[in-house]
Amino acid sequence: MTEILLNLTTRPIPFPPEAHDRLQVEAREIIARYPHPRSALLPLLHLMQSVEGYVSGTGIEFCAEQLGLTDAEVTAVATFYSMYRRTNTGDYHVGVCTNTLCAVMGGDQILADLKQHLGVENGETTADGMVTLEHIEC
Ligand code: FES
């Protein structure tokens, strides 16, 4: 008999209480700058990314809690904008544009050289956690 376990209740691990409280103070300062709390979502996502290096499930939940939004609403925004990383990022985040103009100026070759030099593919981080390489478009 084959047993398939499917856990649909997995929730992100919340921030530790002291970190949560400190972030909540910062979040309230940010939210106070806007006439409507939900208008503070982008800066709150930036705050989450500055804390963890990317926007984690914990960060999504935190933003939703602060703004009275659902996790799905926050996730939709976080995944729409390419400036928000959804996976762990190295100490240095290197983006190479390969749009037509930049490709003509050598963007494709620079990206290829960096992939070879760093030993990573697009979106990956070096084994030492120092550099995340990403193909971007302006
Ligand atoms: S086209 Fe590459 S930075 Fe604008």
Side-chain angles (χ1 to χ4, degrees):
M1 180 168 128
T2 303
E3 188 174 336
I4 299 174
L5 297 175
L6 184 60
N7 185 350
L8 298 175
T9 60
T10 302
R11 303 287 304 168
I13 298 169
F15 289 118
E18 61 279 357
H20 181 277
D21 292 349
R22 179 177 48 78
L23 287 169
Q24 192 166 47
V25 169
E26 288 187 60
R28 286 182 178 159
E29 289 173 4
I30 293 169
I31 293 167
R33 298 178 197 153
Y34 297 89
H36 307 289
R38 67 184 308 141
S39 300
L41 178 53
L42 297 184
L44 283 192
L45 288 169
H46 278 295
L47 175 64
M48 295 299 100
Q49 188 158 272
S50 75
V51 170
E52 298 189 284
Y54 68 106
V55 180
S56 69
T58 302
I60 296 281
E61 257 191 12
F62 179 84
C63 290
E65 171 194 324
Q66 300 304 310
L67 300 172
L69 299 172
T70 65
D71 290 359
E73 289 172 318
V74 176
T75 300
V77 173
T79 55
F80 178 79
Y81 293 103
S82 60
M83 66 210 176
Y84 298 118
R85 303 255 327 140
R86 295 305 318 279
T87 56
N88 210 351
T89 304
D91 293 345
Y92 298 94
H93 183 207
V94 177
V96 180
C97 176
T98 58
N99 274 354
T100 305
L101 178 60
C102 288
V104 168
M105 299 296 289
D108 287 334
Q109 188 61 51
I110 291 169
L111 181 60
D113 288 351
L114 282 171
K115 283 180 181 176
Q116 184 176 15
H117 178 73
L118 297 170
V120 295
E121 291 298 318
N122 179 41
E124 293 181 349
T125 301
T126 54
D128 61 3
M130 290 297 290
V131 180
T132 298
L133 181 62
E134 190 168 31
H135 161 246
I136 60 171
E137 299 176 356
C138 84

